[in-house]
Amino acid sequence: MSILFKTISTFGVLLAISSSIHAESLYSINMQARLIDSDGDGVIDVRDRCSNTKKDAAVDNYGCPDVSAKLLTVQLNILFDSGQAVVKPRFYPELKKLADFLNDNPGTSVVIEGHTDNVGSFELNQELSQKRANAIADVLVDSFRIRQSRVKGIGYGEDRPIDSNDSEQGRENNRRVVAEVFARKEAEQKRWTIYSVDQNSSTAYKSY
């Protein structure tokens, strides 16, 4: 009788452990599914109202493009050698104008956008546009002492043409670098995300 009781008790313990592991496994799977951030914008899918936001784009609490006030849009007259991302010193005066504006308006930040035509592979154009945007951002920081937190480079590749790529002139128009200057938000923003807060943001962010 005692052997039977021990056998039943042991079976009950094993069953309880199995159920616990199974429940924990289900919980983990469900939790992982709820914490997915498909578009990589830092806002989990269950709270993301704007899907497919470009990675590293500025977004609000709900994963939608940030609505900070845009003060200025400037197309920079900077030319690069084919396939290269080095900013030549002769174009520094062009960037000094932008740096002077940023210095005169300390409550602003700038996003450097790199764009290409559709010649070459999509992946190569994306990579090249990012490198060129970063190169310009680096000049603003390293040569003109604009604080790193106020400057961001984003490469859009061939995604945002402003002209037809069917003509040489159109392709030239699409190969551009644009500086967009924003008034920075001073109010604290609460972001519904499990991920790290933006280290490059001048605003105090908290994760909830």
Side-chain angles (χ1 to χ4, degrees):
M1 186 70 174
S2 60
I3 296 176
L4 178 61
F5 177 77
K6 288 181 179 179
T7 302
I8 294 174
S9 298
T10 301
F11 178 75
V13 170
L14 292 175
L15 182 62
I17 292 174
S18 175
S19 299
S20 176
I21 293 174
H22 181 63
E24 183 179 351
S25 176
L26 286 176
Y27 177 82
S28 299
I29 293 172
N30 290 335
M31 181 58 72
Q32 290 172 10
R34 289 177 59 82
L35 299 180
I36 289 175
D37 176 17
S38 299
D39 55 9
D41 62 359
V43 179
I44 57 178
D45 288 357
V46 293
R47 295 189 179 277
D48 199 336
R49 296 180 181 176
C50 298
S51 59
N52 300 320
T53 304
K54 186 175 180 64
K55 186 178 181 181
D56 295 329
V59 297
D60 61 18
N61 299 346
Y62 302 103
C64 296
D66 201 329
V67 292
S68 297
K70 185 187 297 185
L71 299 182
L72 186 67
T73 299
V74 179
Q75 184 161 331
L76 301 174
N77 296 315
I78 296 176
L79 303 178
F80 294 89
D81 289 341
S82 178
Q84 300 299 310
V86 177
V87 181
K88 296 180 179 180
R90 67 189 178 95
F91 295 113
Y92 280 28
E94 180 81 7
L95 291 178
K96 186 178 184 303
K97 298 175 186 177
L98 176 59
D100 288 344
F101 181 87
L102 294 171
N103 283 324
D104 291 340
N105 298 271
T108 59
S109 59
V110 63
V111 176
I112 306 298
E113 298 182 353
H115 302 269
T116 70
D117 58 28
N118 67 348
V119 176
S121 71
F122 177 89
E123 292 77 13
L124 181 61
N125 286 333
Q126 179 66 44
E127 180 181 1
L128 183 59
S129 67
Q130 184 66 59
K131 287 182 177 179
R132 288 176 172 177
N134 288 343
I136 292 175
D138 289 344
V139 171
L140 288 172
V141 173
D142 298 337
S143 298
F144 296 105
R145 301 296 183 237
I146 304 299
R147 198 164 64 248
Q148 179 69 59
S149 61
R150 299 177 61 195
V151 184
K152 177 182 285 188
I154 298 179
Y156 288 101
E158 60 190 66
D159 277 349
R160 298 187 177 186
I162 59 173
D163 206 338
S164 171
N165 281 305
D166 294 333
S167 68
E168 179 55 40
Q169 183 60 54
R171 290 190 292 273
E172 182 179 336
N173 291 337
N174 290 331
R175 296 191 298 267
R176 68 199 189 280
V177 178
V178 177
E180 296 205 332
V181 180
F182 296 87
R184 293 183 299 164
K185 291 182 177 180
E186 299 298 335
E188 181 183 83
Q189 297 183 24
K190 297 178 180 178
R191 300 188 64 189
W192 289 96
T193 170
I194 63 166
Y195 299 99
S196 299
V197 297
D198 289 337
Q199 297 300 316
N200 291 331
S201 173
S202 61
T203 307
Y205 286 97
K206 291 183 178 179
S207 294
Y208 287 82

